[in-house]
Amino acid sequence: FFSSRRRHTRLQGDWSSDVCSSDLRGARVERNQPISEVRVIMKKTDLNAYLTKLGLPRELPADLETLHKVHVAQHRSLPFENFDIALQRGISVEIEDIIQKTVYHSRGGYCFELNGLMLEVLNTLGFEARSLLGRVHVSGTPTGRSHQITLVTLDEIGRAHV
């Protein structure tokens, strides 16, 4: 039910997961650089539009207070919605499409869109962040990993935040 123009690429080295080549657009990648060190940089105009939409200042340090502010502001400003899924429309998980939909067209999105946007913003702001897959349990029966979450590690306190 979603579409992506991403090509999955296995980078050389000791990798625990695949990386999509479109995730690396704008990143400086050294040979054998671990995935956790690869940073994708969001366009400054898109980042500024996102921060303005959320009512946040343009300059933010990568610390626990900023993480909390960005999380709360996005949660309050960009709703979870699955209209496209219910209407059987295609969904793109390309960051450019997510930015257009959520920032410029005042729509919400589902977990892969909203958490993908959050991941992009946090990495651009200088956080050490990566996406993970999770399960949503609505009954006692385990389901597949169909939910995206973001894991942020803060050096200042050495703790991980989901």
Side-chain angles (χ1 to χ4, degrees):
F1 55 68
F2 64 87
S3 65
S4 174
R5 296 180 296 272
R6 294 179 172 198
R7 286 189 343 234
H8 290 277
T9 305
R10 186 99 171 150
L11 297 178
Q12 186 175 8
D14 182 23
W15 306 106
S16 60
S17 63
D18 290 338
V19 173
C20 296
S21 59
S22 62
D23 288 340
L24 303 177
R25 217 173 298 124
R28 292 195 177 107
V29 181
E30 300 295 326
R31 185 182 177 110
N32 294 325
Q33 182 180 8
I35 291 172
S36 63
E37 294 178 16
V38 175
R39 295 282 184 251
V40 177
I41 304 301
M42 190 175 187
K43 292 179 195 171
K44 189 169 183 103
T45 54
D46 292 336
L47 178 63
N48 289 340
Y50 171 89
L51 295 172
T52 298
K53 181 175 189 68
L54 272 57
L56 296 171
R58 290 186 176 190
E59 298 298 324
L60 293 166
D63 60 17
L64 183 59
E65 182 180 352
T66 295
L67 177 60
H68 178 74
K69 285 180 182 178
V70 171
H71 179 259
V72 169
Q74 179 168 311
H75 178 70
R76 290 181 178 165
S77 301
L78 301 176
F80 178 89
E81 57 118 298
N82 59 1
F83 295 126
D84 291 331
I85 294 170
L87 296 171
Q88 298 181 340
R89 295 180 183 156
I91 296 174
S92 171
V93 292
E94 291 290 327
I95 191 60
E96 296 87 359
D97 296 332
I98 295 169
I99 291 168
Q100 283 298 316
K101 179 180 178 180
T102 59
V103 176
Y104 297 113
H105 293 120
S106 298
R107 295 271 315 273
Y110 80 120
C111 66
F112 282 89
E113 294 168 300
L114 297 177
N115 289 325
L117 178 61
M118 176 71 73
L119 176 68
E120 185 84 9
V121 168
L122 293 175
N123 277 328
T124 301
L125 291 174
F127 285 91
E128 182 183 328
R130 63 186 178 117
S131 66
L132 299 171
L133 291 176
R135 291 182 170 100
V136 177
H137 293 284
V138 292
S139 70
T141 305
T143 61
R145 292 183 183 136
S146 60
H147 184 70
Q148 181 180 338
I149 61 173
T150 302
L151 178 70
V152 179
T153 304
L154 295 172
D155 288 334
E156 66 187 53
I157 56 176
R159 284 191 275 174
H161 299 267
V162 175

